[in-house]
Amino acid sequence: MVTAESGSGARSIADNLHQIRRTMEAAALRVGRAPATIRLLGATKSVDIARIRTAIQAGLALCGENRLQEALPKIESLKGLPVEWHFIGRLQRRKVKAVVGRFRMIQSVEDLELAEEIQRRSEEAGIDQPVLLEVNIGSEASKGGFEPHALERAMPELLAMRRLRIQGLMTIPPPEDDPERARPHFRRLRELAQSLARRDLPGLSMAELSMGMSHDYAVAIEEGATIVRIGTALFGTRSEHP
């Protein structure tokens, strides 16, 4: 886990945040986009509470967690600070009840069965749950998510789940050393979102595209990302265990 540091550690997070935002702004301006339309999400898996607090105090307004058991104590400890939480990891159906309503958005709705469980738990709680639909844009067997054509076919069923507030799409492309090799995947997600938006389906918003991480977020922004999920570039190298 990344541990809290004094002095230079705090300055490092603030400096990293500043540099990331400069890179985001430059990428947006290269393609004629307004930088203010793109949000930076701090991916906080395996990052301790002290460093997350430092990032929030430096201006980070959006955090994302992959694991419920790690997220809950962080959310509680940082309650009252000006930060929004998203769930960005693979979500097991048995944990949906604990996630619904605690996170402003669930970014990882990967299939109809998970969507149905979110709908059921949201109905029980009497709330609407904003979500993003995860797309397996590279058709990788190791990853969850809708295949693009399967998502289009599933849309009528998804839109019938009235407690799901579908806000857009999310993807994690196949790993590549060269960020440019991720560009076709990001472009394909944008084109899929545009295709769905043109259908003008009631209750469907394609306002958000969550794509791009520490090594390729500039390319993702050039291809239309509205949320980029940054972990290592903001917090430094982390272990897999909190």
Side-chain angles (χ1 to χ4, degrees):
M1 175 174 66
V2 174
T3 57
E5 299 171 3
S6 61
S8 62
R11 288 195 301 274
S12 176
I13 289 175
D15 290 345
N16 290 346
L17 185 60
H18 178 68
Q19 182 57 55
I20 291 165
R21 285 189 166 146
R22 289 185 62 184
T23 301
M24 290 173 63
E25 179 179 10
L29 293 176
R30 278 196 297 273
V31 292
R33 298 183 63 196
T37 64
I38 305 155
R39 290 192 289 168
L40 165 61
L41 178 149
T44 57
K45 183 176 77 170
S46 301
V47 179
D48 64 66
I49 290 166
R51 286 180 73 84
I52 300 170
R53 181 180 288 109
T54 296
I56 295 168
Q57 291 169 341
L60 181 67
L62 177 59
C63 288
E65 270 291 340
N66 294 66
R67 296 181 290 212
L68 179 65
Q69 67 272 22
E70 188 179 336
L72 295 182
K74 292 177 180 178
I75 293 171
E76 180 63 26
S77 294
L78 298 167
K79 187 165 56 178
L81 293 180
V83 65
E84 179 179 312
W85 290 90
H86 289 195
F87 192 86
I88 61 175
R90 199 160 196 175
L91 179 57
Q92 298 172 310
R93 289 197 295 276
R94 64 185 176 85
K95 294 185 177 180
V96 166
K97 182 178 181 180
V99 168
V100 162
R102 279 196 171 95
F103 293 83
R104 177 68 182 83
M105 182 178 286
I106 300 171
Q107 291 202 14
S108 47
V109 179
E110 65 178 12
D111 56 35
L112 280 170
E113 291 77 14
L114 179 58
E116 288 166 352
E117 184 65 13
I118 295 170
Q119 160 67 22
R120 184 171 77 87
R121 295 299 187 179
S122 299
E123 184 66 43
E124 288 177 355
I127 62 171
D128 294 339
Q129 176 65 62
V131 302
L132 300 183
L133 305 175
E134 182 175 357
V135 180
N136 189 347
I137 206 71
S139 299
E140 297 173 87
S142 61
K143 286 181 181 173
F146 291 90
E147 295 284 337
H149 293 301
L151 176 60
E152 294 187 87
R153 291 194 301 269
M155 198 55 67
E157 290 179 78
L158 289 162
L159 291 174
M161 302 176 196
R162 298 300 185 185
R163 291 295 188 176
L164 263 69
R165 314 307 292 178
I166 299 172
Q167 302 296 299
L169 307 178
M170 182 273 268
T171 199
I172 302 172
E176 300 284 359
D177 291 333
D178 180 0
E180 282 297 325
R181 294 177 67 87
R183 188 182 294 277
H185 299 293
F186 295 143
R187 182 176 298 136
R188 190 178 180 202
L189 191 77
R190 171 171 50 83
E191 291 170 347
L192 175 60
Q194 290 169 338
S195 174
L196 290 168
R198 283 194 296 268
R199 292 168 63 179
D200 199 24
L201 298 168
L204 178 65
S205 170
M206 285 288 119
E208 300 285 5
L209 287 181
S210 178
M211 58 187 191
M213 297 187 287
S214 288
H215 65 297
D216 57 14
Y217 66 95
V219 172
I221 289 169
E222 291 173 355
E223 293 299 332
T226 64
I227 300 173
V228 291
R229 306 179 303 272
I230 310 298
T232 301
L234 177 58
F235 295 109
T237 303
R238 299 160 295 167
S239 73
E240 287 299 309
H241 302 288

